[in-house]
Amino acid sequence: MAVKAEALGAPVAWHGEGPMWDAAEKRLLIVDMMAGAVVDLGSPEYGSEAPTRHDVGSAVAAALRPRTAGGFAVATEHGFSLFSRAFTLERRFDDIIVDPGIRMNEGGCDPQGRFYCGTMAYDAEPGRGELFRLDADGTAHRVFGDVTISNGLQWSDDGTQAYYNDTPTGRIDVFDFDGERGAFENRAPFVTIDEEIGRPDGLAVDAEGGVWTALWGGGAVRRYDSNGRLSEVVDVPGVTNTSACCFGGEGLRTLFITTSRQDVPQGEQPAAGAVFAVEPGVAGRLLSSFAG
């Protein structure tokens, strides 16, 4: 079954990524990744008002999550930072990436409140990426390496599995996840996606265990049920680079989809960089918060 998403307004980012529903304020937040900014879109009806942009003091804003203590944790170009709810900087941790050719790219929090973010080379050289973890006490740890473009990390409802995209592989992989140790084990392919329909980028998991992945270069989001069977396709009209998705809005029943102008020729795809939305008939789950 295919449905069509609709743009909520004009483009709000050059490279929109990392959507997050802020349930406390009932607002949608995304990152304009390569501009180093968090974009506050307000309510889903934001189109009548100009979005608010917050500079994170870094060349890259890779991912963000709410903090249980209030405010937000943000993965920046080479490390992690903590911000207030108004996006005033409260703490910047020491960089964990020392190679200027590497940057943070995408991440998320496990059910125990650890914040993970993967990396990639600016030139996307194969195998140079890694996955890092920020614990609640502020210590950072390398989780695994041999990654090219780390993307789309989310957990199953019971927290025993983690879904993960290394985009150039064309796969959504699944790990057994040990929540006590924060360990990823027994990596296996969950879904393999044909290159001609796009590459798996950001992903979301719904309340029924379905896995939704944005297709970079495919202008669509696809849902796979818990057995890996394709069950839904969301078309994103007029845009090629769909980058990520999350659930939000009333009852978490709206799927928000970020898009990008990256690699789009000037003058083409005027809607690229906008946020799209659709109500797919299934509710999502709130993203876990950082425990620090």
Side-chain angles (χ1 to χ4, degrees), residues 11 13-16 215-219 236-243 258-274 276:
W14 177 262
H15 182 41
L215 296 176
W216 183 266
V236 182
V239 175
T240 300
N241 293 330
T242 39
S243 54
T258 53
T259 67
S260 174
R261 292 206 57 79
Q262 183 174 306
D263 302 327
V264 176
Q266 186 173 359
E268 298 183 14
Q269 301 184 24
F276 287 71

mmCIF file of all heavy atoms in Angstrom, residues 11 13-16 215-219 236-243 258-274 276:
data_model
loop_
_atom_site.group_PDB
_atom_site.id
_atom_site.type_symbol
_atom_site.label_atom_id
_atom_site.label_comp_id
_atom_site.label_asym_id
_atom_site.label_seq_id
_atom_site.Cartn_x
_atom_site.Cartn_y
_atom_site.Cartn_z
ATOM 1 N N PRO A 11 10.889 24.954 2.494
ATOM 2 C CA PRO A 11 12.106 24.356 3.028
ATOM 3 C C PRO A 11 12.633 25.104 4.249
ATOM 4 O O PRO A 11 12.603 26.335 4.300
ATOM 5 C CB PRO A 11 13.083 24.452 1.854
ATOM 6 C CG PRO A 11 12.203 24.409 0.641
ATOM 7 C CD PRO A 11 10.983 25.196 1.032
ATOM 8 N N ALA A 13 15.655 23.731 5.865
ATOM 9 C CA ALA A 13 17.014 23.268 6.082
ATOM 10 C C ALA A 13 17.675 22.981 4.742
ATOM 11 O O ALA A 13 16.999 22.712 3.745
ATOM 12 C CB ALA A 13 17.025 22.005 6.943
ATOM 13 N N TRP A 14 19.008 23.035 4.743
ATOM 14 C CA TRP A 14 19.754 22.581 3.572
ATOM 15 C C TRP A 14 19.866 21.068 3.602
ATOM 16 O O TRP A 14 19.574 20.390 2.623
ATOM 17 C CB TRP A 14 21.144 23.217 3.554
ATOM 18 C CG TRP A 14 21.981 22.715 2.408
ATOM 19 C CD1 TRP A 14 22.921 21.738 2.437
ATOM 20 C CD2 TRP A 14 21.913 23.159 1.050
ATOM 21 N NE1 TRP A 14 23.446 21.533 1.184
ATOM 22 C CE2 TRP A 14 22.851 22.396 0.310
ATOM 23 C CE3 TRP A 14 21.155 24.127 0.393
ATOM 24 C CZ2 TRP A 14 23.044 22.578 -1.050
ATOM 25 C CZ3 TRP A 14 21.365 24.315 -0.967
ATOM 26 C CH2 TRP A 14 22.286 23.547 -1.673
ATOM 27 N N HIS A 15 20.267 20.543 4.751
ATOM 28 C CA HIS A 15 20.372 19.096 4.907
ATOM 29 C C HIS A 15 19.620 18.709 6.171
ATOM 30 O O HIS A 15 20.192 18.535 7.238
ATOM 31 C CB HIS A 15 21.845 18.685 4.982
ATOM 32 C CG HIS A 15 22.074 17.204 5.096
ATOM 33 N ND1 HIS A 15 21.351 16.277 4.388
ATOM 34 C CD2 HIS A 15 22.959 16.501 5.851
ATOM 35 C CE1 HIS A 15 21.774 15.060 4.682
ATOM 36 N NE2 HIS A 15 22.745 15.172 5.574
ATOM 37 N N GLY A 16 18.292 18.635 6.057
ATOM 38 C CA GLY A 16 17.455 18.289 7.194
ATOM 39 C C GLY A 16 17.681 16.851 7.612
ATOM 40 O O GLY A 16 17.751 15.945 6.785
ATOM 41 N N LEU A 215 14.545 6.620 2.500
ATOM 42 C CA LEU A 215 15.382 6.140 1.409
ATOM 43 C C LEU A 215 16.090 7.314 0.739
ATOM 44 O O LEU A 215 15.477 8.086 -0.002
ATOM 45 C CB LEU A 215 14.541 5.375 0.389
ATOM 46 C CG LEU A 215 13.893 4.092 0.919
ATOM 47 C CD1 LEU A 215 13.011 3.459 -0.151
ATOM 48 C CD2 LEU A 215 14.944 3.104 1.405
ATOM 49 N N TRP A 216 17.385 7.453 1.036
ATOM 50 C CA TRP A 216 18.188 8.484 0.396
ATOM 51 C C TRP A 216 18.284 8.170 -1.099
ATOM 52 O O TRP A 216 18.641 7.068 -1.490
ATOM 53 C CB TRP A 216 19.569 8.522 1.022
ATOM 54 C CG TRP A 216 20.451 9.602 0.488
ATOM 55 C CD1 TRP A 216 21.356 9.507 -0.526
ATOM 56 C CD2 TRP A 216 20.488 10.970 0.938
ATOM 57 N NE1 TRP A 216 21.969 10.729 -0.735
ATOM 58 C CE2 TRP A 216 21.467 11.633 0.149
ATOM 59 C CE3 TRP A 216 19.810 11.672 1.918
ATOM 60 C CZ2 TRP A 216 21.758 12.980 0.337
ATOM 61 C CZ3 TRP A 216 20.113 13.016 2.085
ATOM 62 C CH2 TRP A 216 21.073 13.661 1.313
ATOM 63 N N GLY A 217 17.910 9.150 -1.920
ATOM 64 C CA GLY A 217 17.900 8.938 -3.354
ATOM 65 C C GLY A 217 16.645 8.262 -3.859
ATOM 66 O O GLY A 217 16.497 8.053 -5.073
ATOM 67 N N GLY A 218 15.726 7.949 -2.951
ATOM 68 C CA GLY A 218 14.522 7.221 -3.344
ATOM 69 C C GLY A 218 13.226 7.983 -3.211
ATOM 70 O O GLY A 218 12.175 7.516 -3.658
ATOM 71 N N GLY A 219 13.255 9.168 -2.554
ATOM 72 C CA GLY A 219 12.044 9.976 -2.423
ATOM 73 C C GLY A 219 10.901 9.245 -1.749
ATOM 74 O O GLY A 219 9.747 9.418 -2.121
ATOM 75 N N VAL A 236 7.264 10.661 -1.129
ATOM 76 C CA VAL A 236 7.558 12.049 -0.779
ATOM 77 C C VAL A 236 7.719 12.795 -2.091
ATOM 78 O O VAL A 236 8.786 12.773 -2.699
ATOM 79 C CB VAL A 236 8.818 12.145 0.097
ATOM 80 C CG1 VAL A 236 9.086 13.594 0.488
ATOM 81 C CG2 VAL A 236 8.662 11.280 1.350
ATOM 82 N N PRO A 237 6.654 13.449 -2.572
ATOM 83 C CA PRO A 237 6.657 13.982 -3.938
ATOM 84 C C PRO A 237 7.613 15.144 -4.143
ATOM 85 O O PRO A 237 7.764 16.016 -3.289
ATOM 86 C CB PRO A 237 5.200 14.432 -4.132
ATOM 87 C CG PRO A 237 4.675 14.662 -2.756
ATOM 88 C CD PRO A 237 5.374 13.660 -1.886
ATOM 89 N N GLY A 238 8.287 15.126 -5.286
ATOM 90 C CA GLY A 238 9.121 16.249 -5.682
ATOM 91 C C GLY A 238 10.474 16.334 -5.018
ATOM 92 O O GLY A 238 11.205 17.306 -5.212
ATOM 93 N N VAL A 239 10.826 15.323 -4.210
ATOM 94 C CA VAL A 239 12.094 15.330 -3.485
ATOM 95 C C VAL A 239 12.761 13.968 -3.646
ATOM 96 O O VAL A 239 12.104 12.935 -3.525
ATOM 97 C CB VAL A 239 11.887 15.631 -1.992
ATOM 98 C CG1 VAL A 239 13.193 15.527 -1.233
ATOM 99 C CG2 VAL A 239 11.292 17.025 -1.812
ATOM 100 N N THR A 240 14.044 13.980 -3.901
ATOM 101 C CA THR A 240 14.793 12.726 -4.043
ATOM 102 C C THR A 240 15.371 12.253 -2.723
ATOM 103 O O THR A 240 15.278 11.077 -2.382
ATOM 104 C CB THR A 240 15.934 12.898 -5.065
ATOM 105 O OG1 THR A 240 15.378 13.255 -6.331
ATOM 106 C CG2 THR A 240 16.722 11.615 -5.217
ATOM 107 N N ASN A 241 15.967 13.185 -1.963
ATOM 108 C CA ASN A 241 16.743 12.789 -0.789
ATOM 109 C C ASN A 241 15.913 12.892 0.489
ATOM 110 O O ASN A 241 15.927 13.903 1.193
ATOM 111 C CB ASN A 241 18.014 13.630 -0.691
ATOM 112 C CG ASN A 241 18.967 13.330 -1.822
ATOM 113 O OD1 ASN A 241 19.014 12.212 -2.339
ATOM 114 N ND2 ASN A 241 19.742 14.323 -2.238
ATOM 115 N N THR A 242 15.191 11.819 0.781
ATOM 116 C CA THR A 242 14.519 11.682 2.069
ATOM 117 C C THR A 242 15.552 11.138 3.053
ATOM 118 O O THR A 242 16.200 10.130 2.789
ATOM 119 C CB THR A 242 13.319 10.738 1.954
ATOM 120 O OG1 THR A 242 13.648 9.640 1.092
ATOM 121 C CG2 THR A 242 12.136 11.462 1.346
ATOM 122 N N SER A 243 15.698 11.805 4.204
ATOM 123 C CA SER A 243 16.853 11.534 5.059
ATOM 124 C C SER A 243 16.539 10.853 6.380
ATOM 125 O O SER A 243 17.370 10.085 6.886
ATOM 126 C CB SER A 243 17.597 12.851 5.332
ATOM 127 O OG SER A 243 16.709 13.831 5.856
ATOM 128 N N THR A 258 12.166 14.227 7.174
ATOM 129 C CA THR A 258 13.084 15.288 6.769
ATOM 130 C C THR A 258 13.639 15.009 5.381
ATOM 131 O O THR A 258 13.732 13.863 4.945
ATOM 132 C CB THR A 258 14.251 15.423 7.767
ATOM 133 O OG1 THR A 258 14.867 14.143 7.946
ATOM 134 C CG2 THR A 258 13.777 15.962 9.089
ATOM 135 N N THR A 259 14.010 16.095 4.687
ATOM 136 C CA THR A 259 14.558 15.985 3.338
ATOM 137 C C THR A 259 15.774 16.902 3.209
ATOM 138 O O THR A 259 16.029 17.746 4.073
ATOM 139 C CB THR A 259 13.518 16.336 2.263
ATOM 140 O OG1 THR A 259 13.188 17.738 2.360
ATOM 141 C CG2 THR A 259 12.247 15.508 2.412
ATOM 142 N N SER A 260 16.505 16.745 2.108
ATOM 143 C CA SER A 260 17.775 17.453 1.957
ATOM 144 C C SER A 260 17.953 17.993 0.550
ATOM 145 O O SER A 260 17.489 17.394 -0.428
ATOM 146 C CB SER A 260 18.924 16.491 2.278
ATOM 147 O OG SER A 260 20.178 17.072 2.012
ATOM 148 N N ARG A 261 18.692 19.113 0.470
ATOM 149 C CA ARG A 261 19.094 19.663 -0.817
ATOM 150 C C ARG A 261 20.483 19.184 -1.226
ATOM 151 O O ARG A 261 20.956 19.520 -2.320
ATOM 152 C CB ARG A 261 19.101 21.198 -0.777
ATOM 153 C CG ARG A 261 17.721 21.841 -0.643
ATOM 154 C CD ARG A 261 17.726 23.242 -1.238
ATOM 155 N NE ARG A 261 18.133 23.230 -2.630
ATOM 156 C CZ ARG A 261 17.336 22.896 -3.656
ATOM 157 N NH1 ARG A 261 16.102 22.510 -3.438
ATOM 158 N NH2 ARG A 261 17.799 22.929 -4.884
ATOM 159 N N GLN A 262 21.130 18.426 -0.381
ATOM 160 C CA GLN A 262 22.476 17.951 -0.699
ATOM 161 C C GLN A 262 22.462 17.165 -2.005
ATOM 162 O O GLN A 262 21.609 16.282 -2.212
ATOM 163 C CB GLN A 262 22.996 17.068 0.438
ATOM 164 C CG GLN A 262 24.414 16.588 0.244
ATOM 165 C CD GLN A 262 24.914 15.859 1.464
ATOM 166 O OE1 GLN A 262 24.878 16.389 2.575
ATOM 167 N NE2 GLN A 262 25.375 14.634 1.274
ATOM 168 N N ASP A 263 23.398 17.470 -2.888
ATOM 169 C CA ASP A 263 23.547 16.808 -4.195
ATOM 170 C C ASP A 263 22.395 17.093 -5.160
ATOM 171 O O ASP A 263 22.277 16.427 -6.189
ATOM 172 C CB ASP A 263 23.695 15.292 -4.037
ATOM 173 C CG ASP A 263 24.882 14.911 -3.168
ATOM 174 O OD1 ASP A 263 25.892 15.643 -3.208
ATOM 175 O OD2 ASP A 263 24.792 13.902 -2.449
ATOM 176 N N VAL A 264 21.552 18.070 -4.842
ATOM 177 C CA VAL A 264 20.460 18.443 -5.740
ATOM 178 C C VAL A 264 20.909 19.636 -6.588
ATOM 179 O O VAL A 264 21.323 20.658 -6.033
ATOM 180 C CB VAL A 264 19.184 18.809 -4.945
ATOM 181 C CG1 VAL A 264 18.082 19.300 -5.878
ATOM 182 C CG2 VAL A 264 18.702 17.607 -4.139
ATOM 183 N N PRO A 265 20.838 19.554 -7.911
ATOM 184 C CA PRO A 265 21.262 20.680 -8.762
ATOM 185 C C PRO A 265 20.470 21.942 -8.454
ATOM 186 O O PRO A 265 19.270 21.887 -8.131
ATOM 187 C CB PRO A 265 20.983 20.173 -10.179
ATOM 188 C CG PRO A 265 21.031 18.682 -10.065
ATOM 189 C CD PRO A 265 20.463 18.364 -8.717
ATOM 190 N N GLN A 266 21.156 23.083 -8.525
ATOM 191 C CA GLN A 266 20.509 24.358 -8.233
ATOM 192 C C GLN A 266 19.321 24.566 -9.155
ATOM 193 O O GLN A 266 19.391 24.333 -10.362
ATOM 194 C CB GLN A 266 21.502 25.497 -8.405
ATOM 195 C CG GLN A 266 20.970 26.853 -7.976
ATOM 196 C CD GLN A 266 22.051 27.925 -8.003
ATOM 197 O OE1 GLN A 266 23.202 27.656 -8.318
ATOM 198 N NE2 GLN A 266 21.674 29.150 -7.649
ATOM 199 N N GLY A 267 18.214 25.018 -8.573
ATOM 200 C CA GLY A 267 17.007 25.280 -9.344
ATOM 201 C C GLY A 267 16.071 24.097 -9.467
ATOM 202 O O GLY A 267 14.940 24.259 -9.931
ATOM 203 N N GLU A 268 16.515 22.936 -9.063
ATOM 204 C CA GLU A 268 15.668 21.747 -9.131
ATOM 205 C C GLU A 268 15.112 21.413 -7.749
ATOM 206 O O GLU A 268 15.638 21.844 -6.731
ATOM 207 C CB GLU A 268 16.457 20.557 -9.691
ATOM 208 C CG GLU A 268 16.960 20.754 -11.115
ATOM 209 C CD GLU A 268 17.665 19.530 -11.669
ATOM 210 O OE1 GLU A 268 17.541 18.448 -11.058
ATOM 211 O OE2 GLU A 268 18.341 19.662 -12.710
ATOM 212 N N GLN A 269 14.024 20.667 -7.714
ATOM 213 C CA GLN A 269 13.396 20.185 -6.486
ATOM 214 C C GLN A 269 13.185 21.300 -5.460
ATOM 215 O O GLN A 269 13.793 21.308 -4.380
ATOM 216 C CB GLN A 269 14.219 19.045 -5.876
ATOM 217 C CG GLN A 269 14.390 17.862 -6.795
ATOM 218 C CD GLN A 269 15.112 16.705 -6.147
ATOM 219 O OE1 GLN A 269 15.122 16.548 -4.921
ATOM 220 N NE2 GLN A 269 15.707 15.850 -6.965
ATOM 221 N N PRO A 270 12.335 22.260 -5.746
ATOM 222 C CA PRO A 270 12.157 23.394 -4.832
ATOM 223 C C PRO A 270 11.668 23.008 -3.439
ATOM 224 O O PRO A 270 11.835 23.801 -2.505
ATOM 225 C CB PRO A 270 11.135 24.277 -5.554
ATOM 226 C CG PRO A 270 10.493 23.393 -6.570
ATOM 227 C CD PRO A 270 11.517 22.397 -6.976
ATOM 228 N N ALA A 271 11.095 21.833 -3.276
ATOM 229 C CA ALA A 271 10.621 21.418 -1.955
ATOM 230 C C ALA A 271 11.701 20.737 -1.125
ATOM 231 O O ALA A 271 11.490 20.455 0.056
ATOM 232 C CB ALA A 271 9.418 20.489 -2.079
ATOM 233 N N ALA A 272 12.856 20.470 -1.732
ATOM 234 C CA ALA A 272 13.927 19.804 -0.986
ATOM 235 C C ALA A 272 14.364 20.671 0.190
ATOM 236 O O ALA A 272 14.577 21.872 0.049
ATOM 237 C CB ALA A 272 15.105 19.520 -1.904
ATOM 238 N N GLY A 273 14.494 20.057 1.353
ATOM 239 C CA GLY A 273 14.794 20.780 2.582
ATOM 240 C C GLY A 273 13.570 21.060 3.427
ATOM 241 O O GLY A 273 13.698 21.519 4.563
ATOM 242 N N ALA A 274 12.387 20.748 2.909
ATOM 243 C CA ALA A 274 11.160 20.883 3.694
ATOM 244 C C ALA A 274 10.953 19.645 4.554
ATOM 245 O O ALA A 274 11.560 18.590 4.329
ATOM 246 C CB ALA A 274 9.959 21.075 2.766
ATOM 247 N N PHE A 276 8.115 16.908 5.605
ATOM 248 C CA PHE A 276 6.864 16.330 5.125
ATOM 249 C C PHE A 276 6.196 15.556 6.255
ATOM 250 O O PHE A 276 6.845 15.188 7.248
ATOM 251 C CB PHE A 276 7.126 15.396 3.942
ATOM 252 C CG PHE A 276 7.479 16.103 2.662
ATOM 253 C CD1 PHE A 276 8.710 16.732 2.504
ATOM 254 C CD2 PHE A 276 6.582 16.138 1.603
ATOM 255 C CE1 PHE A 276 9.040 17.393 1.325
ATOM 256 C CE2 PHE A 276 6.897 16.787 0.414
ATOM 257 C CZ PHE A 276 8.126 17.411 0.276
#
